[in-house]
Amino acid sequence: MRDAATLGRAPGVTRVVLLLGIETSCDDTATAVVRDGSHVLSSVSTNQDIFHAKYGGIVPEIASRQHVALLSAAIEDALARADTPLAGIDGIAVTAGPGLIGSLVVGVAAAKALAFATGKPLYAVNHLHGHIFAPFLDTGIEPAYPFLALLVSGGHSQIVAVDGPRAMRVLGRTRDDAAGEAFDKTARLLGLPFPGGPAIDALAREGNPSAIAFPRHRPDAGTLDMSFSGVKTSARYLLEREPQRDRADVAASFQAAVVDVLIDRLARAANDAAYRCAVLSGGVAANSALQSAFRAWSERTGIPGYIPERRFCTDNAAMIAAAADRQGELVRADPVTLTANPNFAFS
Ligand code: KG4
Ligand code: ZN
């Protein structure tokens, strides 16, 4: 399905295509140079957490200003680490949405300027498609279609059927909080620092996941939708009722409830059609309990399961280049007219 002609390479000829990736959809200023959509020559991510932590969440205005301050250096750094001059790059891939508009416009403006000045092709990538291809970075493995993606991040939780590089169907989604959002909000109730997902993951290792029977959302007939606000609210009531409750037990039991719902939906989706593999992706894919449950499911069913390396679970620019490389001409954009789209449609 790769469009070898897209990037100026004749079909059949070994491709050596270098894409510069730029990702600024939220609060990570990320750049990367990726060869053939797979081999990561450099991946730079300047995490802004210290600027947002004291507010307990991401402040869009701060994120946008930090991107402006950091992006030029991050682009130079990615090129230098890849030992590649800008002239050696074959195309520029940028996240065009969804995300925070003030953050997206910084990356999109930079990518447009680079593409316009160099005459190199520009690719406008959907951030979520980037997450879906992240598991294949630096593995040498090419996805076999159709495959299933369990996409769990701070802003999204969905089960996706990936029929081709740009042919995706959402089979089920959260009706309220995203899984990462539920982790972050529950972490705050537990007095843990932002971002809450990694903090709950760490605390949960010392707790008993069966200590508290938090509710598991059951899907309505005919849907694979999920919900996480119930478990978060239960955790809040529990902590109000029993403030002395062991926090590690609360963290472990909360995490177990979220993981159960996610794996339940994955299993149901996989029963409905013949998928050739499955991926777990998005920031929450870094969660150790979710990774174990996903691997166990994969072994049980015999459906190969792929999880990104930890550094490619959370937002990064290598995954944007990975998606652009596979989607090619389907996401080619005009360097003059491209605009950031905070509501960029998934399919
Ligand atoms: O994909 P991502 O970097 O940004 C979005 O596009 O949203 O995901 C960030 C989310 C945050 O909610 C963070 O708490 C969560 O991923 N996260 C985790 C873990 N590491 C990051 N959640 C649970 N366990 C983790 N280890
Ligand atoms: Zn993301």
Side-chain angles (χ1 to χ4, degrees):
M1 284 299 284
R2 293 233 196 156
D3 185 357
T6 307
L7 301 163
R9 298 284 191 274
V13 174
T14 307
R15 294 166 83 250
V16 180
V17 173
L18 296 186
L19 289 186
L20 171 67
I22 298 177
E23 151 65 40
T24 65
S25 66
C26 193
D27 67 330
D28 292 296
T29 311
T31 53
V33 176
V34 179
R35 195 179 74 217
D36 296 339
S38 180
H39 308 288
V40 182
L41 303 188
S42 64
S43 180
V44 174
S45 182
T46 310
N47 183 284
Q48 301 180 2
D49 284 352
I50 52 164
F51 299 104
H52 301 281
K54 68 177 166 194
Y55 302 101
I58 293 156
V59 183
E61 178 70 18
I62 294 176
S64 174
R65 284 170 188 271
Q66 288 300 325
H67 288 313
V68 172
L70 297 168
L71 185 56
S72 297
I75 291 171
E76 282 175 20
D77 196 22
L79 292 169
R81 285 170 193 250
D83 206 11
T84 309
L86 183 58
I89 294 290
D90 298 294
I92 295 147
V94 65
T95 303
L100 299 170
I101 183 64
S103 289
L104 288 165
V105 292
V106 180
V108 167
K112 287 169 68 176
L114 284 175
F116 188 76
T118 60
K120 294 180 193 295
L122 176 64
Y123 302 93
V125 174
N126 184 303
H127 177 80
L128 300 172
H129 295 179
H131 277 302
I132 284 172
F133 289 105
F136 302 101
L137 288 167
D138 270 347
T139 61
I141 296 168
E142 199 48 36
Y145 301 97
F147 68 89
L148 268 180
L150 175 54
L151 177 51
V152 275
S153 71
H156 295 83
S157 295
Q158 50 196 41
I159 301 264
V160 181
V162 186
D163 298 320
R166 185 73 181 78
M168 311 204 188
R169 290 172 289 128
V170 178
L171 304 176
R173 51 163 53 93
T174 181
R175 296 204 165 156
D176 38 58
D177 291 349
E181 197 180 350
F183 268 96
D184 292 338
K185 289 176 175 170
T186 304
R188 205 187 305 184
L189 297 173
L190 288 165
L192 297 170
F194 174 85
I200 290 197
D201 196 349
L203 182 60
R205 283 169 218 263
E206 295 152 32
N208 172 5
S210 313
I212 303 148
F214 282 126
R216 270 76 168 156
H217 178 258
R218 295 175 61 81
D220 296 335
T223 103
L224 291 173
D225 285 352
M226 46 201 133
S227 160
F228 299 105
S229 71
V231 57
K232 175 200 67 188
T233 307
S234 294
R236 180 155 65 86
Y237 288 152
L238 177 93
L239 288 165
E240 281 169 12
R241 241 184 5 251
E242 301 176 46
Q244 300 316 321
R245 194 78 195 219
D246 185 289
R247 298 206 157 217
D249 282 351
V250 179
S253 301
F254 163 81
Q255 182 171 275
V258 173
V259 169
D260 276 0
V261 169
L262 291 171
I263 297 297
D264 172 78
R265 298 307 188 275
L266 177 70
R268 287 173 196 260
N271 281 339
D272 290 345
Y275 294 100
R276 298 179 65 194
C277 64
V279 303
L280 173 64
S281 61
V284 183
N287 184 267
S288 55
L290 181 56
Q291 291 199 353
S292 303
F294 179 80
R295 288 210 178 88
W297 168 83
S298 168
E299 268 177 34
R300 239 180 4 256
T301 58
I303 299 172
Y306 302 108
I307 304 174
E309 256 179 63
R310 190 160 289 259
R311 66 191 174 123
F312 300 135
C313 283
T314 46
D315 290 350
N316 66 86
M319 69 183 193
I320 301 305
D325 189 275
R326 293 179 174 86
Q327 297 181 333
E329 210 54 34
L330 297 170
V331 295
R332 181 83 179 259
D334 184 322
V336 176
T337 58
L338 176 66
T339 53
N341 181 358
N343 306 312
F344 199 166
F346 182 77
S347 52

